[in-house]
Amino acid sequence: MNETLGPRYKWVALSNTTLGVLIATINSSILLIALPDIFRGLHVDPLAPGNSSYLLWLIMGYLVVTAVLVVSFGRLGDMFGRVRMYNLGFLVFTISSVLLSVTWLTGDAGALYLIVMRIVQGVGGALLMANSSAIITDAFPPDQRGLALGLNMVAGIAGSFIGLVIGGLLAPVEWHLVFLVSVPVSLFGTVWAYLKLRDTGVRHDAGMDWWGNATFGIGLVAILVGITYGIQPYGRHVMGWTNPMVLAALVGGTVVLVGFCIIETRVAHPMFNLELFRIRAFSAGNLASLLSGLGRGGLMFILIIWLQGIWLPEHGYSFEQTPLWAGIFMLPMTVGFLVAGPTSGWLSDRFGARSFATGGMLIAAASFGWLLLLPVQFGYPEFAGALLVGGLGMGLFAAPNRTGIMNSLPPTRRGVGSGMSTTFQNSAMVLSIGIFFSLMITGLSGGLPHAMVAGLSAHGVPAPQAHQLAALPPVAVLFASLLGYNPIGTLLGPGVLHHLSTADASYLTGRAFFPSLISAPFHDGLVVAFGFAIAACLIAAWASWLRGGKYIYPEDPVPVESPPAPSVDSTVGTGAGAATAGGVAAVAQDRGAGRGSG
C-alpha cells in the first residue's frame, strides 16, 4: 500500500473497482430477462430452426470472452500496470455499450451485430474483472482486505441478479435502454478511474507468453463452444453431444489445453503460473471457487424457467409479465448476498477464511436440499426462505474465499493470480449452464413427449400435429419458458389453433395448460439438477477446508541463498502452505491481523 496517496485513496480504489465489477456483472445477466423484447425489436423468431444459436450466443458470448481473456489481461496488468489495464477496460466497455445502444439493424444482421458487440463488451468486462481484485489488494493493508474484497465480491455476484430486474424493467419500455443504461455509468467510471486511480502495485516486467496465450485461448474457446452447441439438438437426438463437431471441439480443446500445461512448465515467463498452485491457500481456494460456481451458475436459469414456465402463470401472471416478476421474486437471494458478503469478509480479516468459506458452502448445499424438497407448486414464503438461505451461504463463502486467494499471492503475481481465479469462476458459469441444461433436458425428455401427446389430443389437437409437437426437442420448451413466451401458442401456431374450438384453444394457450403439462417432467429434471448442485457444494466445502489456517503472503519476502522446495503440505505457524516465487522463499507469518486459526 502506498501511503503517499493518503488514507482516502484505498476507499476511492474500492469504490471505483466495485462500480466496474458491478456494471460488468449486471451486463452478464441483463439480457436474460430482456431477450423477448430484443428479439421482437429485431424481428427475429429465436425458436425458428437455426435461430437458437442467436439466443445462446447473446447469452454465452459475453461469458465465454470474459472466461478466456481474464488471465491474459491480468498478466498484462502485472507487466504494464493494473490501473492502466483497468482504465482501458472501462473505456472499451463504454464504447461497446454506446455501439450496442444505437443498434439500427434488424433480422439476422441485427442479431449478429449484437453478438459481435457483446463480445467486444466482454473484452472490456474481462479487463475490469481481471484487475479489480489486484488493485484492491494493492491499496488495502492485509487486515482490511477481507472487508474490501468482500464488498467488491458481493457487488459482483449481486450484479448478476440485479441485472435480471433492470432488464425486466427497461426492455418492455424500449429494448435499446437495456444497453443504453450502461453508458452514463461506464462513462462516469471511466473518467473517474483515469483521474483518481494510481498504480501502487509491484510490476513484473516479463516477456509475453505468446504460445501460452494462443493455446489457452484456442483450447478454452473450443471447449466452451462445444458445450454451447452440445445442449442444442442434433439430428434426431434431443442434445448435440454426439455431434462430430461438438466431440471434435471438446476433445480437441482438451488436447490443446494439455499442450498448454506442458508449454507453461517450459517457458521462462508463463502466462498461467502453475507454480502458484503450490500455494495451498491459492489452489484450494480456486478449486472451491470452481465447484461453487458449478453448483450455482446454472441455478439462475433453472429458477427462472421454474418461475416463468410453471409457477407464475399458475398464479395469475401472463407469460409476457413473467420475465420481470421472475427477477423480482428472486431478490431474496440477492439480499442474502448483500447481508453475508461484507460481514463475512470483515470477520475473515480477523479469523481467517477457512471456517466461513467452508460453512458457507455447507449452508448453500442445505438451501439446495430445501429447494429439492419443495413441490413444483410451492408456497412463496418457503421458496423465498430457501433463496435467502442460499444467498447467505454463497455470500458467506465468496468474500472470505476471494480474500484467502488474494492474500496468498506474491505482490508481483496479483494480476495474473486474480485473472486465473476469475477464469475458474467464469468458466464454471459456462460449464454449469451446459451441465444444468443437459440434466434438465434429460429429465424432460423422459416424460414430456407422452404427457404432451395426451394433453393435446384430449383438447382437440389432431394426432399428427400432437405427435409432431411432442417430437420437438425439449430444449425448445426450455427456451420458450426462458423467453417468457406462451410455449403452446408459439409452438402450435395460428394454423392449428384456428381449427380448434374456442374453449380448447383458450385452454391450451391459457395460463394453466402448459404449467400442468410440464410440472411432473420438470420435477424429474429438478431432482437431478439440485442433486448435482448439492454434491458440488459439499465437495467445495471439503476443498475449502483443505486451505489450512490463515495465511498472508509477506509483503517483503526475505531472499535466501538456497530456498527450499515449496510443498503443498508444508505449513509455517498457522499458514496454509509455503509459497515461493522467482527463487524467493516466503516468510510465512501473519501480519497485522493476528494469528487466526481459520
Side-chain angles (χ1 to χ4, degrees):
M1 179 181 171
N2 193 337
E3 298 294 341
T4 61
L5 295 174
R8 295 178 58 188
Y9 173 76
K10 59 188 177 183
W11 301 110
V12 172
L14 174 61
S15 302
N16 190 277
T17 54
T18 298
L19 177 65
V21 169
L22 181 65
I23 198 69
T25 53
I26 283 176
N27 276 271
S28 70
S29 65
I30 196 169
L31 292 194
L32 285 180
I33 301 297
L35 282 172
D37 295 287
I38 291 174
F39 280 119
R40 277 192 289 268
L42 293 174
H43 307 298
V44 172
D45 179 7
L47 300 181
N51 285 354
S52 59
S53 58
Y54 293 152
L55 171 67
L56 281 173
W57 278 108
L58 275 173
I59 297 172
M60 307 277 270
Y62 184 93
L63 297 173
V64 169
V65 170
T66 54
V68 170
L69 293 180
V70 284
V71 176
S72 298
F73 290 161
R75 173 68 179 276
L76 290 174
D78 286 338
M79 293 169 58
F80 302 110
R82 291 151 194 162
V83 168
R84 180 179 295 179
M85 292 298 106
Y86 176 86
N87 290 347
L88 177 62
F90 243 141
L91 181 62
V92 171
F93 196 92
T94 302
I95 293 172
S96 60
S97 297
V98 172
L99 294 175
L100 281 164
S101 66
V102 297
T103 304
W104 68 96
L105 299 170
T106 58
D108 293 345
L112 290 172
Y113 176 85
L114 288 183
I115 290 170
V116 171
M117 286 299 104
R118 281 284 288 175
I119 289 173
V120 175
Q121 192 180 48
V123 173
L127 282 162
L128 293 172
M129 295 178 190
N131 292 285
S132 60
S133 293
I135 292 172
I136 292 172
T137 306
D138 289 338
F140 278 82
D143 62 338
Q144 293 181 334
R145 285 177 191 157
L147 174 62
L149 288 168
L151 290 168
N152 186 264
M153 192 76 181
V154 166
I157 297 177
S160 61
F161 290 95
I162 295 171
L164 299 176
V165 179
I166 294 176
L169 289 171
L170 295 180
V173 179
E174 165 56 51
W175 67 269
H176 289 86
L177 293 177
V178 172
F179 304 112
L180 185 62
V181 70
S182 299
V183 174
V185 177
S186 54
L187 182 61
F188 168 75
T190 302
V191 175
W192 185 20
Y194 271 96
L195 292 177
K196 295 296 184 181
L197 294 186
R198 299 291 181 269
D199 268 309
T200 61
V202 180
R203 294 193 188 183
H204 180 63
D205 192 9
M208 197 67 178
D209 176 18
W210 295 110
W211 281 107
N213 276 274
T215 51
F216 179 76
I218 292 171
L220 190 56
V221 165
I223 289 176
L224 298 182
V225 168
I227 292 170
T228 301
Y229 284 99
I231 62 177
Q232 298 187 62
Y234 171 68
R236 295 187 176 182
H237 301 279
V238 295
M239 289 183 285
W241 299 115
T242 57
N243 185 339
M245 187 196 79
V246 171
L247 293 173
L250 295 175
V251 175
T254 302
V255 171
V256 172
L257 286 181
V258 171
F260 162 75
C261 293
I262 295 172
I263 290 171
E264 296 303 275
T265 61
R266 298 184 179 182
V267 296
H269 303 290
M271 177 197 81
F272 212 94
N273 195 332
L274 300 179
E275 286 292 316
L276 295 178
F277 288 108
R278 303 180 75 177
I279 304 172
R280 188 166 68 178
F282 180 80
S283 56
N286 277 303
L287 177 58
S289 180
L290 175 68
L291 290 164
S292 72
L294 287 175
R296 76 164 190 273
L299 173 68
M300 188 189 310
F301 290 85
I302 302 305
L303 293 176
I304 289 173
I305 292 169
W306 193 354
L307 288 169
Q308 292 185 183
I310 298 176
W311 195 85
L312 287 169
E314 289 214 333
H315 285 77
Y317 296 86
S318 69
F319 284 99
E320 292 75 20
Q321 292 176 315
T322 56
L324 170 61
W325 286 100
I328 293 173
F329 280 135
M330 288 172 62
L331 284 176
M333 184 171 283
T334 305
V335 173
F337 280 129
L338 295 176
V339 171
T343 304
S344 63
W346 175 71
L347 290 171
S348 71
D349 284 331
R350 182 174 181 181
F351 300 108
R354 180 165 63 173
S355 298
F356 297 101
T358 303
M361 279 295 94
L362 293 175
I363 292 173
S367 73
F368 291 142
W370 187 351
L371 288 168
L372 178 63
L373 294 175
L374 290 178
V376 175
Q377 294 301 333
F378 52 79
Y380 182 70
E382 293 83 1
F383 183 76
L387 292 185
L388 178 64
V389 171
L392 289 170
M394 293 175 193
L396 196 63
F397 165 82
N401 188 66
R402 187 70 166 187
T403 305
I405 290 171
M406 295 305 297
N407 276 340
S408 72
L409 290 168
T412 58
R413 299 289 191 273
R414 284 173 183 163
V416 69
S418 173
M420 291 164 69
S421 181
T422 306
T423 291
F424 284 115
Q425 193 172 316
N426 292 353
S427 298
M429 171 69 81
V430 181
L431 289 169
S432 181
I433 291 170
I435 292 170
F436 273 74
F437 264 80
S438 297
L439 294 174
M440 290 303 303
I441 291 169
T442 301
L444 286 172
S445 62
L448 183 60
H450 174 73
M452 189 169 287
V453 169
L456 292 173
S457 300
H459 290 87
V461 177
Q465 283 82 3
H467 283 280
Q468 181 181 4
L469 193 61
L472 289 175
V475 70
V477 176
L478 287 180
F479 284 169
S481 301
L482 183 63
L483 290 168
Y485 290 176
N486 182 335
I488 299 301
T490 301
L491 297 174
L492 273 180
V496 175
L497 291 173
H498 180 70
H499 292 88
L500 300 179
S501 68
T502 303
D504 282 333
S506 177
Y507 179 73
L508 289 175
T509 58
R511 293 192 296 260
F513 176 72
F514 179 73
S516 63
L517 177 75
I518 199 177
S519 289
F522 186 81
H523 186 265
D524 294 338
L526 278 181
V527 170
V528 180
F530 283 135
F532 171 81
I534 291 169
C537 288
L538 290 176
I539 300 173
W542 168 78
S544 185
W545 187 258
L546 290 181
R547 77 178 67 240
K550 185 177 179 182
Y551 174 72
I552 300 174
Y553 194 98
E555 298 287 336
D556 51 347
V558 180
V560 295
E561 294 182 2
S562 301
S567 170
V568 169
D569 296 323
S570 63
T571 56
V572 181
T574 58
T580 67
V584 176
V587 178
Q589 54 184 338
D590 296 333
R591 293 181 169 229
R595 304 175 66 85
S597 62

